Amino acid sequence: MADDFSAWIGKQETRHDRFDPARSNALLAALGKPGTAKDGDPVPLLHHWLYFWDVQPPAALGPDGHPAKGGFLPPVPLPRRMWAGGRLRFEAPLRFGEATEKRSTILNIETKQGRSGTLVFVTLEHRLSGSAGLAVIEQQDLVYRAASSETPPLPVPLSAVPPCAAHRVISPDPVLLLRYSALTMNGHRIHYDRPYAMAEEAYPALVVHGPLQATLLAGLIEDHAGAPLKSFEFRGVSPAFDGIDLHICAAPADTGFTAWTQQGEARNMVATATV
């Protein structure tokens, strides 16, 4: 790929939002949990992804439902974009009702050759600050890749719970995926438009959001540890799909916890955390 995106490195944007507890409570309700948060309460881990919407009019959307390329992010000429992983450090709690600032910077853009062809990795840094100052430092890895004509098989559902110290299971149906897309203002059609996901992006079913999986993993670790997380790192390994039970697993490790999601024999997302 001959495109040079070096001029985009260092580009910044700043967004502001007020953390309305109703949005977080709606996600908890969608997951079958009580949503009782009110102003002044701490924001649950990774629920900040429900805020700072980038709402664009129809004319400013790409064919995949994402905002059209060339705004804050570079116009990478590859059709498939995914959130590949990230790293977060929690400096202080964010609280509902606060006016919060998110300052984003493009840290790096790198082109690589993978088994599926050309890949372009874009690394962002997000710094979230509330009334008490800096609260969250996050690095986000986006990957752009070429279109695929090969549809992977659906994973064979597990017949037993994977061995782990803490475990939950959810059934990611289209209603949950639509709700999470709406709550995060994520227009990517692979999460709610089955004909598009299968015909245009060659998936065998709707795709479970990576951030939703990460949110479930972080929450499981925090509940099992009984202490707040200091850091959390996650990486997508293989897509998870609707219609198949998704196992959320965690276990103690030398430096904290390891965690993963799993539908078949392969893991979908892996993560580590310190408390």
Side-chain angles (χ1 to χ4, degrees), residues 37 54 63 66 89 92 96 132 201 203 214 218 227 229-230 249 267 273:
D54 180 16
H66 278 308
R89 192 165 79 244
F96 289 115
E201 298 210 23
Y203 289 112
L229 269 59
K230 293 182 179 179
C249 306
R267 296 181 178 185

Side-chain angles (χ1 to χ4, degrees), residues 54-78:
D54 180 16
V55 182
Q56 298 294 329
L61 296 178
D64 60 358
H66 278 308
K69 298 172 183 177
F72 172 59
L73 294 172
V76 177
L78 293 171

Side-chain angles (χ1 to χ4, degrees), residues 4-53:
D4 180 8
F5 300 111
S6 58
W8 293 75
I9 297 175
K11 185 177 180 180
Q12 291 188 330
E13 73 169 9
T14 301
R15 295 181 178 274
H16 297 88
D17 205 347
R18 177 188 176 275
F19 280 21
D20 180 357
R23 203 173 296 176
S24 177
N25 287 339
L27 175 57
L28 292 173
L31 294 171
K33 299 180 179 181
T36 58
K38 59 185 183 302
D39 283 354
D41 289 344
V43 177
L45 283 175
L46 307 188
H47 279 219
H48 67 273
W49 289 336
L50 306 179
Y51 301 89
F52 305 105
W53 286 354

Side-chain angles (χ1 to χ4, degrees), residues 88-109:
L88 299 100
R89 192 165 79 244
F90 305 103
E91 303 288 341
L94 293 163
R95 296 191 177 277
F96 289 115
E98 286 189 339
T100 306
E101 178 186 272
K102 177 183 176 183
R103 185 179 298 274
S104 301
T105 305
I106 298 177
L107 293 184
N108 191 43
I109 303 173

Side-chain angles (χ1 to χ4, degrees), residues 175-197:
V175 175
L176 174 60
L177 302 189
L178 178 64
R179 285 172 145 186
Y180 191 76
S181 290
L183 287 168
T184 56
M185 197 54 65
N186 181 350
H188 197 182
R189 294 166 63 182
I190 63 172
H191 303 303
Y192 59 87
D193 184 342
R194 192 179 304 276
Y196 172 87

